[in-house]
């Protein structure tokens, strides 16, 4: 009997119970999915396209949800990057040398950001292939749950879910782009990036600047929170190039566009792509073309490629070929990136010798 003479309607009780069950389901589905995801993960440690057990069969994934998690991962990774830099405990190590003999560095910022970004994405999307720049330590697993919230700006731009087969997806994570500059405390160049390719084509791109709290995201044929600038200088372009892996890029740029050309040396592939866009950050230089001539890894370039493509721009090899973001993790053919320009005309202008020497 109900106390104090209050009569409980059976229908009301049923609705109340259903609501309660709904809330419980919402709270626990993410948690259980997370536990299950890590169980399924088993031996998957990331660290490269051939990591064992990294591709499970079946199912679809919603690209809009994947974008939401990618943005969250880039931001969470960025928090680690910032925290480590501000604590001055970089714990810098050499992890090898590039083909040109430059030292490849790794810091606690790279490792901790990688861990956050990888586990957030892997827990939310256990069935997709994830390739990350750094090795993920199996003994150091973390359950990081996504709360299933899609940010307002994404919902506004992308009004419908977009399902694709899980096995067609490759995610590329760069937990700290411009590590060299990070060690030199040149903070403006540093970004965290996530890219999603579908059947090798770049479709989602996220570039986050942890020290400016700025995030650019875009989905090809979907929407974006960033756009191209209104004008670009095609005749005497400002060309942005690497400051620490430059190779012969300055000679190539001057040979192609003349001695009057302005060359902007800068760190980070993410930073250089943002320099071609309309980015509201006073620490962001602006350029018209991005050229890179040495070998580069796909996690460095995929997010920028997706962003440019979504906004009508191009990122190709120096030969003008599209880059496939599946399989091997390296890009051999150099890089030419532009937006609102005649990209094919730029390809034609580049010296033949340079294009063939990177094939
Ligand atoms: N020749 C090369 N070999 C290996 N990685 C290269 C490279 N040239 C550029 N990169 C990587 O591409 C990113 C952008 O390079 P740059 O700042 O020189 O333009 C950096 O990534 P990370 O900082 O994520 O390692 C850098 O290490
Ligand atoms: Mg990088």
């Amino acid at each position: 009997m109900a106390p104090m003479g209050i009569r409980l309607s059976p229908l009301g009780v049923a609705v109340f119970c259903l609501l309660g069950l709904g809330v419980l389901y919402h709270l626990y589905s993410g948690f259980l999915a997370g536990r299950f995801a890590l169980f399924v993960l088993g031996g998957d440690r990331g660290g490269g396209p051939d990591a064992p057990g990294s591709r499970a069969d079946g199912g679809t994934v919603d690209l809009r949800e994947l974008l939401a998690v990618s943005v969250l991962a880039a931001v969470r990774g960025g928090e680690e990057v910032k925290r480590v830099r501000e604590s001055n405990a970089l714990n810098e190590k050499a992890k090898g040398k590039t083909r040109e003999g430059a030292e490849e560095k790794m810091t606690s910022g790279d490792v901790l950001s990688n861990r956050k970004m990888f586990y957030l994405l892997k827990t939310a999307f256990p069935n997709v292939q994830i390739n990350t720049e750094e090795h993920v330590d199996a003994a150091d697993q973390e359950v990081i749950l996504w709360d299933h919230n899609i940010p307002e700006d994404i919902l506004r731009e992308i009004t419908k879910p977009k399902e694709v087969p899980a096995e067609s997806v490759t995610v590329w994570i760069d937990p700290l782009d411009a590590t060299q500059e990070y060690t030199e405390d040149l903070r403006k160049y540093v970004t965290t990036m996530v890219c999603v390719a579908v059947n090798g084509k770049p479709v989602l791109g996220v570039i986050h600047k942890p020290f400016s709290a700025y995030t650019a995201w875009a989905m090809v044929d979907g929407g974006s929170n960033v756009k191209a600038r209104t004008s670009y200088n095609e005749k005497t372009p400002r060309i942005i190039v690497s400051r620490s892996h430059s190779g012969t890029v300055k000679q190539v740029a001057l040979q192609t566009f003349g001695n009057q050309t302005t060359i902007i040396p800068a760190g980070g592939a993410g930073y250089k792509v943002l320099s071609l866009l309309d980015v509201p950050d006073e620490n962001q230089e602006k350029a018209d073309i991005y050229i890179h001539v040495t070998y580069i890894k796909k996690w460095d370039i995929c997010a920028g490629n997706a962003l440019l493509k979504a906004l009508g721009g191009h990122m190709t090899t120096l030969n003008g070929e599209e880059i496939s973001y599946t399989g091997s993790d390296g890009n051999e053919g150099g890089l030419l990136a532009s937006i609102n320009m005649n990209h094919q005309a730029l390809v034609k202008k580049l010296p033949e010798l340079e294009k063939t020497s990177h094939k």
Side-chain angles (χ1 to χ4, degrees), residues 80-356:
E80 299 295 304
V81 167
K82 197 164 174 238
R83 190 170 55 77
V84 169
R85 184 61 263 183
E86 282 167 358
S87 72
N88 257 333
L90 264 60
N91 200 12
E92 187 179 322
K93 292 191 180 83
K95 66 175 178 183
K97 284 205 184 314
T98 66
R99 290 179 183 178
E100 297 78 29
E103 196 167 79
E104 286 194 276
K105 290 178 181 164
M106 189 178 69
T107 67
S108 294
D110 296 74
V111 174
L112 296 173
S113 171
N114 195 60
R115 177 167 173 257
K116 274 271 183 285
M117 293 177 75
F118 175 80
Y119 281 118
L120 228 164
L121 280 152
K122 197 68 193 173
T123 310
F125 296 95
N127 291 346
V128 305
Q129 167 84 38
I130 302 181
N131 299 336
T132 73
E133 176 161 5
E134 308 302 339
H135 178 77
V136 182
D137 188 351
D140 201 18
Q141 280 193 10
E142 190 174 357
V143 179
I144 314 173
L145 296 179
W146 176 46
D147 62 4
H148 286 259
N149 177 45
I150 302 180
E152 272 303 314
D153 59 342
I154 294 182
L155 289 174
R156 216 173 25 246
E157 288 292 316
I158 306 167
T159 51
K160 287 193 304 251
K162 201 167 189 178
E163 302 280 341
V164 295
E167 68 264 20
S168 66
V169 171
T170 314
V171 178
W172 297 89
I173 295 177
D174 190 337
L176 200 170
D177 190 41
T179 301
Q180 173 60 43
E181 287 70 23
Y182 183 68
T183 64
E184 294 176 47
D185 208 9
L186 298 171
R187 302 180 184 199
K188 70 175 183 183
Y189 295 129
V190 173
T191 62
T192 57
M193 296 192 277
V194 181
C195 178
V196 174
V198 177
N199 295 320
K201 293 194 168 65
V203 169
L204 301 179
V206 178
I207 304 181
H208 172 67
K209 294 178 108 177
F211 298 102
S212 310
Y214 171 77
T215 312
W217 60 258
M219 180 195 283
V220 173
D221 296 329
S224 69
N225 72 342
V226 58
K227 48 187 185 354
R229 297 203 307 272
T230 45
S231 69
Y232 292 87
N233 193 338
E234 214 157 344
K235 260 206 169 137
T236 47
R238 287 162 295 175
I239 302 176
I240 197 155
V241 302
S242 168
R243 68 182 279 282
S244 50
H245 305 85
S246 55
T248 57
V249 73
K250 285 180 191 159
Q251 295 91 300
V252 172
L254 294 176
Q255 203 180 330
T256 312
F257 298 98
N259 286 335
Q260 295 309 307
T261 309
T262 307
I263 295 179
I264 307 170
Y271 178 88
K272 288 194 270 291
V273 167
L274 291 180
S275 79
L276 305 180
L277 303 177
D278 187 8
V279 168
D281 176 8
E282 57 186 24
N283 291 321
Q284 178 70 58
E285 291 153 289
K286 299 204 182 311
D288 299 303
I289 302 175
Y290 168 22
I291 304 180
H292 190 82
V293 303
T294 64
Y295 178 74
I296 194 159
K297 299 289 184 68
K298 288 178 185 168
W299 40 71
D300 293 310
I301 58 177
C302 182
N305 196 341
L307 268 160
L308 285 169
K309 193 171 171 191
L311 303 178
H314 300 272
M315 179 184 279
T316 64
T317 64
L318 296 171
N319 251 334
E321 287 159 6
E322 298 294 333
I323 300 159
S324 172
Y325 294 95
T326 185
S328 84
D329 59 17
N331 173 56
E332 302 275 353
L335 217 63
L336 176 67
S338 73
I339 185 161
N340 287 356
M341 283 200 190
N342 185 341
H343 193 82
Q344 275 314 312
L346 294 174
V347 170
K348 286 213 183 88
K349 258 185 148 177
L350 284 167
E352 256 341 286
L353 182 70
E354 203 48 48
K355 292 183 214 171
T356 47

